[in-house]
Amino acid sequence: MLGVYPGSFDPFTLGHKDIVERAAKFCDKLFIAVSENINKKHLFTLDERVEMIREVFSGNSNIVVESFSGLLVDYMQSRNAQYIIRGLRAVSDFEYEFQMAFANRNINNSVETIFMVPGSQYLFLSSTIVRDIAYNKGDVSNLVPEPVYKKLMEKYNIK
Ligand code: PNS
């Protein structure tokens, strides 16, 4: 089974990592597919985001990190993958996630979206929260993987 975990990951959090680790258990190969979200203004460039996530999973041969542009379903076709993995935290995620799942199915009927729930300690966690805390010089070391933490500190010039 080939899974694709798409997102903007700006930045990648421990909640994202938790989902990847759960999905990698049942996927033969899991593609972490990093993209621009046209509705968001990004803090890190696409290349920076890919590089940080690659560092997090450098020892895992069944996890591939790459960027894509254009439609997610087209990227999936190019990788011969059928399953989209998305994390769900709260009821507030549902509407957006349902819209995306139906939009993707509408464009390509052979893709299936699998929703996964992270560990309960990550239910409140989002990239937006991490950016906000880091921007205001708060401690995010327990919210993001080490390579992301370092880059965030650099970005906000925090010693
Ligand atoms: O982490 P995000 O920002 O919620 O991820 C959204 C993302 C990047 C997965 C979504 O915007 C996406 O799939 N973009 C690619 C364009 C596309 O396929 N759009 C149609 C489905 S909404």
Side-chain angles (χ1 to χ4, degrees):
M1 166 170 177
L2 301 183
V4 171
Y5 181 44
S8 43
F9 306 120
D10 189 34
F12 192 82
T13 69
L14 288 181
H16 294 133
K17 184 166 177 268
D18 180 275
I19 296 287
V20 168
E21 283 163 352
R22 289 172 197 279
K25 285 188 202 150
F26 63 86
C27 290
D28 299 305
K29 199 173 226 180
L30 181 65
F31 294 93
I32 303 178
V34 190
S35 175
E36 306 290 5
N37 180 331
I38 55 160
N39 300 307
K40 295 179 181 170
K41 196 175 165 289
H42 294 298
L43 172 66
F44 290 104
T45 67
L46 196 52
D47 287 346
E48 283 176 323
R49 284 177 270 147
V50 168
E51 196 184 309
M52 283 185 271
I53 305 170
R54 279 199 181 135
E55 223 180 307
V56 175
F57 296 106
S58 58
N60 300 65
S61 54
N62 71 328
I63 297 173
V64 176
V65 186
E66 49 192 17
S67 62
F68 75 98
S69 56
L71 287 176
L72 173 61
V73 294
D74 289 343
Y75 164 77
M76 292 177 68
Q77 205 155 26
S78 75
R79 297 292 175 265
N80 216 8
Q82 247 183 309
Y83 300 96
I84 301 171
I85 311 284
R86 291 286 290 180
L88 274 187
R89 292 157 304 186
V91 179
S92 52
D93 285 342
F94 265 65
E95 195 165 330
Y96 170 59
E97 293 299 334
F98 269 49
Q99 272 181 352
M100 263 201 314
F102 281 109
N104 286 321
R105 180 182 283 165
N106 190 258
I107 314 169
N108 184 336
N109 195 32
S110 65
V111 305
E112 290 295 343
T113 302
I114 299 172
F115 292 114
M116 296 187 64
V117 181
S120 54
Q121 68 272 40
Y122 302 124
L123 285 179
F124 76 99
L125 187 53
S126 70
S127 300
T128 309
I129 292 275
V130 167
R131 286 196 307 271
D132 193 312
I133 297 173
Y135 174 81
N136 290 295
K137 314 253 185 276
D139 182 17
V140 292
S141 59
N142 61 344
L143 304 179
V144 294
E146 180 72 17
V148 176
Y149 180 70
K150 282 192 194 145
K151 272 274 184 190
L152 265 173
M153 295 302 98
E154 271 172 44
K155 191 67 104 181
Y156 289 126
N157 219 354
I158 302 171
K159 304 273 177 305

